[in-house]
């Protein structure tokens, strides 16, 4: 099982944590929503709970709850800038379909 981050994503998370002044990394998850079923959730990880899986990339930890791991296993998290927009990009091999707007997905 793995979750990986590109160098751009690692750099962005490190800058977010430094600006915030606390945190061990980023917490990834999914929630039921949208027209295709699931959407990604990205938040700061201030701690690691029992049952969490931790994937380390340099100083950055990626924390994923056990029940979210089947939806995210093998995902690469990237960070992209397109014009004035900045966003995390999920390259998830488990996705079978996405809605037209790209906000939700099906596994």
């Amino acid at each position: 099982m793995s979750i990986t981050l590109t160098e751009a994503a690692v750099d962005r998370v490190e800058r977010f944590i430094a600006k915030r002044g606390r945190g061990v990394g980023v917490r990834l998850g999914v929630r039921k929503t949208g027209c295709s079923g699931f959407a990604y959730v990205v938040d700061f990880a201030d701690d690691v709970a029992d049952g969490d899986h931790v994937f380390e990339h340099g100083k950055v930890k990626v924390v994923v709850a056990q029940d979210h791991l089947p939806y995210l296993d093998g995902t690469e998290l990237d960070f992209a800038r397109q014009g004035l927009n900045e966003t995390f990009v999920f390259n998830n091999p488990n996705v079978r379909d996405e809605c037209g707007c790209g906000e939700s997905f099906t596994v």
Side-chain angles (χ1 to χ4, degrees):
M1 300 216 163
S2 70
I3 307 283
T4 59
L5 275 71
T6 64
E7 288 300 316
V10 168
D11 180 60
R12 188 60 173 173
V13 171
E14 285 178 343
R15 285 190 282 140
F16 274 140
I17 291 171
K19 184 176 179 179
R20 187 172 180 246
R22 69 182 193 282
V24 297
V26 63
R27 180 174 291 278
L28 300 182
V30 296
R31 63 182 163 91
K32 288 189 173 196
T33 189
C35 47
S36 290
F38 294 98
Y40 296 107
V41 177
V42 180
D43 203 354
F44 290 106
D46 291 328
D47 55 17
V48 177
D50 289 341
D52 282 345
H53 288 267
V54 178
F55 305 93
E56 295 191 37
H57 299 276
K59 298 177 185 177
V60 174
K61 292 181 181 177
V62 178
V63 182
V64 180
Q66 175 67 35
D67 56 336
H68 294 237
L69 197 54
Y71 303 104
L72 297 170
D73 185 31
T75 297
E76 176 192 65
L77 182 64
D78 193 8
F79 181 77
R81 290 188 177 120
Q82 299 171 345
L84 298 176
N85 297 319
E86 298 179 338
T87 188
F88 283 109
V89 177
F90 291 82
N91 299 309
N92 185 342
N94 303 301
V95 171
R96 300 292 172 241
D97 197 16
E98 294 179 322
C99 68
C101 64
E103 293 295 320
S104 62
F105 63 94
T106 302
V107 290

